[in-house]
Every structure is written in C-alpha cells, then in structure tokens.
Amino acid sequence: MQRHGGVNQLGGVFINGRPLPHELRRRIVELAQRGARPCEISRRLRVSHGCVSKILTRYNETGSVRPGLIGGSKPKVATPGVVHRILQLKHNNPTMFAWEIRDRLVMEGVCEHDSVPARTSARPSLKASGWGGCSPRRNAPGGALYHRSN
C-alpha cells in the first residue's frame, strides 16, 4: 500500500496517514507555552489549525507530544475499579469537576497519568448507574464531570 504525500493549503508538506515529525510536534508545544495562539502556530509552522489543536490537546491531557498508535484498539482505561472510584467521588461530591476527578485518580494511584480516562470513557457505565451526561459549569476549567439524572 502506497501512502501519498502532498502540500497543505499553508504550504506545509505532509504524508497522509502519518504523524508529524517529533521535532515539529515539540515546536508546536514550545510556541504555545511562549503564548502563541494556535492560529499563529499554524501559519508559522505551516501545519493545519486542526493538527495544532489536536497536538496541544493531547499534550495538555497526557504531557506527551508523542502521536497515538496507528490502527489497533486502545486499551480500556475505564475498568470496573476506575468506574467504581469515579462513582464514589461523584457520590461524595456531585459537583466535582472532571479535572479534579482525573487528578484524584492519579494522586490516589488508581490510574497512571498517561492512562487516566477521558470523560467519555466512563460515561456508559456512569449513565447505567444513574449519573447523567456532562454538566459543565460556566467559567470553570473542566466543567463538572457528570450530574445525577434522578
């Protein structure tokens, strides 16, 4: 199977289906840390805005600029033990934010930093347990993870 490369609308070179080189990914994060906005980074490095946003989001969630795996299936991070702990945390503090829950899971050793579940990973189990969908509070980082749907 042959992969085709090309030039994007900004004049940057890419190869379909392949991640950006590590150095370019690292440079995107460096510029963001210096205060550059994603649209500025996109123009400067000739990388699509969507790609810049995706890399920055991944970096903010995992602390890594490494690309994800290509193909295959992802390991399940919302194991029964993790879901149980999330339910306990939500029961004790229903307005707890997603970022607070994720921090607690790592701090308590329930999950590693690079394997803490996203909000969507635990959602089906939580809904089955009576917790509804996302209920973000305005002007708060991360929003509340779930609200009780009684």
Side-chain angles (χ1 to χ4, degrees), residues 7-33:
V7 178
N8 65 22
Q9 292 178 332
L10 300 166
V13 178
F14 68 94
I15 300 172
N16 277 338
R18 304 299 302 166
L20 284 178
H22 180 78
E23 181 60 30
L24 194 51
R25 299 170 80 84
R26 194 179 58 72
R27 185 85 175 111
I28 288 169
V29 171
E30 283 177 6
L31 289 170
Q33 288 174 335

mmCIF file of all heavy atoms in Angstrom, residues 7-33:
data_model
loop_
_atom_site.group_PDB
_atom_site.id
_atom_site.type_symbol
_atom_site.label_atom_id
_atom_site.label_comp_id
_atom_site.label_asym_id
_atom_site.label_seq_id
_atom_site.Cartn_x
_atom_site.Cartn_y
_atom_site.Cartn_z
ATOM 1 N N VAL A 7 1.089 18.842 -0.289
ATOM 2 C CA VAL A 7 1.343 20.143 0.298
ATOM 3 C C VAL A 7 -0.003 20.686 0.766
ATOM 4 O O VAL A 7 -0.963 20.699 0.005
ATOM 5 C CB VAL A 7 1.983 21.105 -0.736
ATOM 6 C CG1 VAL A 7 2.198 22.477 -0.144
ATOM 7 C CG2 VAL A 7 3.299 20.527 -1.250
ATOM 8 N N ASN A 8 -0.071 21.115 2.021
ATOM 9 C CA ASN A 8 -1.338 21.633 2.538
ATOM 10 C C ASN A 8 -1.566 23.068 2.054
ATOM 11 O O ASN A 8 -0.729 23.644 1.367
ATOM 12 C CB ASN A 8 -1.409 21.509 4.070
ATOM 13 C CG ASN A 8 -0.390 22.374 4.778
ATOM 14 O OD1 ASN A 8 0.115 23.364 4.244
ATOM 15 N ND2 ASN A 8 -0.081 22.003 6.014
ATOM 16 N N GLN A 9 -2.704 23.651 2.458
ATOM 17 C CA GLN A 9 -3.060 25.000 1.999
ATOM 18 C C GLN A 9 -2.102 26.069 2.502
ATOM 19 O O GLN A 9 -2.048 27.160 1.960
ATOM 20 C CB GLN A 9 -4.484 25.346 2.446
ATOM 21 C CG GLN A 9 -5.529 24.516 1.738
ATOM 22 C CD GLN A 9 -6.926 24.835 2.231
ATOM 23 O OE1 GLN A 9 -7.112 25.238 3.377
ATOM 24 N NE2 GLN A 9 -7.905 24.649 1.357
ATOM 25 N N LEU A 10 -1.339 25.730 3.549
ATOM 26 C CA LEU A 10 -0.390 26.693 4.106
ATOM 27 C C LEU A 10 1.008 26.528 3.504
ATOM 28 O O LEU A 10 1.929 27.244 3.869
ATOM 29 C CB LEU A 10 -0.322 26.532 5.623
ATOM 30 C CG LEU A 10 -1.657 26.749 6.347
ATOM 31 C CD1 LEU A 10 -1.570 26.243 7.774
ATOM 32 C CD2 LEU A 10 -2.026 28.216 6.316
ATOM 33 N N GLY A 11 1.157 25.532 2.619
ATOM 34 C CA GLY A 11 2.456 25.286 2.003
ATOM 35 C C GLY A 11 3.308 24.272 2.738
ATOM 36 O O GLY A 11 4.457 24.037 2.381
ATOM 37 N N GLY A 12 2.760 23.667 3.778
ATOM 38 C CA GLY A 12 3.496 22.654 4.531
ATOM 39 C C GLY A 12 3.393 21.291 3.871
ATOM 40 O O GLY A 12 2.407 20.959 3.237
ATOM 41 N N VAL A 13 4.431 20.505 4.017
ATOM 42 C CA VAL A 13 4.473 19.166 3.438
ATOM 43 C C VAL A 13 3.972 18.156 4.468
ATOM 44 O O VAL A 13 4.281 18.261 5.645
ATOM 45 C CB VAL A 13 5.918 18.824 3.004
ATOM 46 C CG1 VAL A 13 5.994 17.416 2.439
ATOM 47 C CG2 VAL A 13 6.416 19.834 1.983
ATOM 48 N N PHE A 14 3.190 17.188 4.006
ATOM 49 C CA PHE A 14 2.674 16.156 4.902
ATOM 50 C C PHE A 14 2.581 14.844 4.143
ATOM 51 O O PHE A 14 2.646 14.815 2.918
ATOM 52 C CB PHE A 14 1.301 16.541 5.451
ATOM 53 C CG PHE A 14 0.226 16.548 4.397
ATOM 54 C CD1 PHE A 14 -0.569 15.430 4.195
ATOM 55 C CD2 PHE A 14 0.029 17.665 3.597
ATOM 56 C CE1 PHE A 14 -1.554 15.428 3.210
ATOM 57 C CE2 PHE A 14 -0.955 17.671 2.613
ATOM 58 C CZ PHE A 14 -1.739 16.556 2.422
ATOM 59 N N ILE A 15 2.435 13.761 4.900
ATOM 60 C CA ILE A 15 2.201 12.441 4.319
ATOM 61 C C ILE A 15 0.909 11.923 4.918
ATOM 62 O O ILE A 15 0.785 11.807 6.149
ATOM 63 C CB ILE A 15 3.357 11.467 4.621
ATOM 64 C CG1 ILE A 15 4.660 12.009 4.049
ATOM 65 C CG2 ILE A 15 3.055 10.081 4.050
ATOM 66 C CD1 ILE A 15 5.891 11.225 4.459
ATOM 67 N N ASN A 16 -0.068 11.618 4.063
ATOM 68 C CA ASN A 16 -1.370 11.143 4.540
ATOM 69 C C ASN A 16 -1.223 9.948 5.465
ATOM 70 O O ASN A 16 -0.494 9.005 5.164
ATOM 71 C CB ASN A 16 -2.252 10.723 3.363
ATOM 72 C CG ASN A 16 -2.959 11.884 2.729
ATOM 73 O OD1 ASN A 16 -3.146 12.915 3.353
ATOM 74 N ND2 ASN A 16 -3.361 11.719 1.480
ATOM 75 N N GLY A 17 -1.913 10.006 6.573
ATOM 76 C CA GLY A 17 -1.953 8.885 7.496
ATOM 77 C C GLY A 17 -0.740 8.745 8.394
ATOM 78 O O GLY A 17 -0.661 7.803 9.165
ATOM 79 N N ARG A 18 0.198 9.649 8.319
ATOM 80 C CA ARG A 18 1.405 9.569 9.138
ATOM 81 C C ARG A 18 1.458 10.757 10.089
ATOM 82 O O ARG A 18 1.062 11.868 9.734
ATOM 83 C CB ARG A 18 2.676 9.569 8.283
ATOM 84 C CG ARG A 18 2.741 8.477 7.235
ATOM 85 C CD ARG A 18 2.708 7.091 7.807
ATOM 86 N NE ARG A 18 3.802 6.877 8.741
ATOM 87 C CZ ARG A 18 3.877 5.868 9.579
ATOM 88 N NH1 ARG A 18 2.921 4.982 9.619
ATOM 89 N NH2 ARG A 18 4.892 5.742 10.388
ATOM 90 N N PRO A 19 1.963 10.562 11.307
ATOM 91 C CA PRO A 19 2.046 11.676 12.252
ATOM 92 C C PRO A 19 3.123 12.677 11.859
ATOM 93 O O PRO A 19 4.059 12.344 11.110
ATOM 94 C CB PRO A 19 2.392 10.999 13.577
ATOM 95 C CG PRO A 19 2.919 9.665 13.227
ATOM 96 C CD PRO A 19 2.378 9.295 11.880
ATOM 97 N N LEU A 20 2.973 13.892 12.354
ATOM 98 C CA LEU A 20 4.012 14.906 12.130
ATOM 99 C C LEU A 20 5.297 14.460 12.811
ATOM 100 O O LEU A 20 5.256 13.760 13.829
ATOM 101 C CB LEU A 20 3.593 16.238 12.756
ATOM 102 C CG LEU A 20 2.541 17.064 12.044
ATOM 103 C CD1 LEU A 20 2.250 18.321 12.859
ATOM 104 C CD2 LEU A 20 2.973 17.434 10.659
ATOM 105 N N PRO A 21 6.437 14.891 12.293
ATOM 106 C CA PRO A 21 7.707 14.554 12.944
ATOM 107 C C PRO A 21 7.738 15.068 14.383
ATOM 108 O O PRO A 21 7.160 16.103 14.714
ATOM 109 C CB PRO A 21 8.756 15.277 12.089
ATOM 110 C CG PRO A 21 8.098 15.493 10.770
ATOM 111 C CD PRO A 21 6.634 15.649 11.056
ATOM 112 N N HIS A 22 8.447 14.320 15.238
ATOM 113 C CA HIS A 22 8.525 14.652 16.659
ATOM 114 C C HIS A 22 9.002 16.085 16.881
ATOM 115 O O HIS A 22 8.466 16.813 17.720
ATOM 116 C CB HIS A 22 9.463 13.670 17.380
ATOM 117 C CG HIS A 22 9.595 13.960 18.834
ATOM 118 N ND1 HIS A 22 8.626 13.604 19.751
ATOM 119 C CD2 HIS A 22 10.562 14.588 19.535
ATOM 120 C CE1 HIS A 22 8.999 14.000 20.944
ATOM 121 N NE2 HIS A 22 10.167 14.596 20.853
ATOM 122 N N GLU A 23 10.008 16.516 16.147
ATOM 123 C CA GLU A 23 10.562 17.860 16.320
ATOM 124 C C GLU A 23 9.504 18.938 16.063
ATOM 125 O O GLU A 23 9.427 19.940 16.775
ATOM 126 C CB GLU A 23 11.763 18.054 15.391
ATOM 127 C CG GLU A 23 12.419 19.410 15.499
ATOM 128 C CD GLU A 23 12.949 19.725 16.897
ATOM 129 O OE1 GLU A 23 13.343 18.792 17.627
ATOM 130 O OE2 GLU A 23 12.939 20.909 17.262
ATOM 131 N N LEU A 24 8.689 18.734 15.049
ATOM 132 C CA LEU A 24 7.634 19.704 14.727
ATOM 133 C C LEU A 24 6.563 19.705 15.815
ATOM 134 O O LEU A 24 6.067 20.759 16.217
ATOM 135 C CB LEU A 24 7.024 19.372 13.365
ATOM 136 C CG LEU A 24 6.156 20.419 12.703
ATOM 137 C CD1 LEU A 24 6.848 21.778 12.635
ATOM 138 C CD2 LEU A 24 5.774 19.976 11.298
ATOM 139 N N ARG A 25 6.231 18.538 16.327
ATOM 140 C CA ARG A 25 5.253 18.437 17.408
ATOM 141 C C ARG A 25 5.767 19.172 18.651
ATOM 142 O O ARG A 25 5.041 19.888 19.317
ATOM 143 C CB ARG A 25 4.978 16.967 17.732
ATOM 144 C CG ARG A 25 4.415 16.184 16.564
ATOM 145 C CD ARG A 25 4.376 14.691 16.844
ATOM 146 N NE ARG A 25 3.230 14.339 17.647
ATOM 147 C CZ ARG A 25 2.015 14.113 17.170
ATOM 148 N NH1 ARG A 25 1.791 14.189 15.874
ATOM 149 N NH2 ARG A 25 1.033 13.805 17.972
ATOM 150 N N ARG A 26 7.046 18.967 18.957
ATOM 151 C CA ARG A 26 7.668 19.624 20.108
ATOM 152 C C ARG A 26 7.675 21.143 19.916
ATOM 153 O O ARG A 26 7.393 21.904 20.837
ATOM 154 C CB ARG A 26 9.098 19.099 20.289
ATOM 155 C CG ARG A 26 9.708 19.439 21.619
ATOM 156 C CD ARG A 26 11.111 18.877 21.768
ATOM 157 N NE ARG A 26 12.013 19.333 20.731
ATOM 158 C CZ ARG A 26 12.513 20.571 20.631
ATOM 159 N NH1 ARG A 26 12.157 21.483 21.502
ATOM 160 N NH2 ARG A 26 13.331 20.901 19.670
ATOM 161 N N ARG A 27 7.943 21.587 18.711
ATOM 162 C CA ARG A 27 7.976 23.031 18.408
ATOM 163 C C ARG A 27 6.595 23.664 18.593
ATOM 164 O O ARG A 27 6.483 24.784 19.081
ATOM 165 C CB ARG A 27 8.475 23.233 16.972
ATOM 166 C CG ARG A 27 8.666 24.656 16.580
ATOM 167 C CD ARG A 27 10.036 25.165 17.006
ATOM 168 N NE ARG A 27 10.200 26.516 16.500
ATOM 169 C CZ ARG A 27 10.231 27.572 17.281
ATOM 170 N NH1 ARG A 27 10.167 27.450 18.580
ATOM 171 N NH2 ARG A 27 10.365 28.774 16.771
ATOM 172 N N ILE A 28 5.533 22.930 18.229
ATOM 173 C CA ILE A 28 4.164 23.425 18.410
ATOM 174 C C ILE A 28 3.910 23.695 19.893
ATOM 175 O O ILE A 28 3.397 24.761 20.263
ATOM 176 C CB ILE A 28 3.139 22.405 17.850
ATOM 177 C CG1 ILE A 28 3.192 22.418 16.321
ATOM 178 C CG2 ILE A 28 1.727 22.684 18.363
ATOM 179 C CD1 ILE A 28 2.417 21.284 15.664
ATOM 180 N N VAL A 29 4.298 22.767 20.752
ATOM 181 C CA VAL A 29 4.090 22.923 22.193
ATOM 182 C C VAL A 29 4.934 24.073 22.733
ATOM 183 O O VAL A 29 4.460 24.878 23.537
ATOM 184 C CB VAL A 29 4.401 21.599 22.933
ATOM 185 C CG1 VAL A 29 4.400 21.801 24.435
ATOM 186 C CG2 VAL A 29 3.391 20.533 22.540
ATOM 187 N N GLU A 30 6.185 24.185 22.280
ATOM 188 C CA GLU A 30 7.056 25.284 22.738
ATOM 189 C C GLU A 30 6.450 26.642 22.413
ATOM 190 O O GLU A 30 6.431 27.542 23.260
ATOM 191 C CB GLU A 30 8.431 25.193 22.066
ATOM 192 C CG GLU A 30 9.336 24.144 22.633
ATOM 193 C CD GLU A 30 10.651 24.047 21.870
ATOM 194 O OE1 GLU A 30 10.898 24.888 20.964
ATOM 195 O OE2 GLU A 30 11.422 23.142 22.174
ATOM 196 N N LEU A 31 5.965 26.793 21.193
ATOM 197 C CA LEU A 31 5.365 28.075 20.798
ATOM 198 C C LEU A 31 4.121 28.380 21.639
ATOM 199 O O LEU A 31 3.915 29.525 22.054
ATOM 200 C CB LEU A 31 5.028 28.066 19.306
ATOM 201 C CG LEU A 31 6.232 28.117 18.365
ATOM 202 C CD1 LEU A 31 5.799 27.863 16.922
ATOM 203 C CD2 LEU A 31 6.945 29.459 18.474
ATOM 204 N N ALA A 32 3.320 27.365 21.893
ATOM 205 C CA ALA A 32 2.119 27.565 22.712
ATOM 206 C C ALA A 32 2.502 27.976 24.131
ATOM 207 O O ALA A 32 1.878 28.856 24.728
ATOM 208 C CB ALA A 32 1.278 26.293 22.731
ATOM 209 N N GLN A 33 3.549 27.370 24.665
ATOM 210 C CA GLN A 33 3.985 27.709 26.021
ATOM 211 C C GLN A 33 4.539 29.130 26.094
ATOM 212 O O GLN A 33 4.523 29.745 27.149
ATOM 213 C CB GLN A 33 5.031 26.703 26.505
ATOM 214 C CG GLN A 33 4.424 25.354 26.802
ATOM 215 C CD GLN A 33 5.452 24.297 27.137
ATOM 216 O OE1 GLN A 33 6.613 24.376 26.746
ATOM 217 N NE2 GLN A 33 5.016 23.270 27.851
#
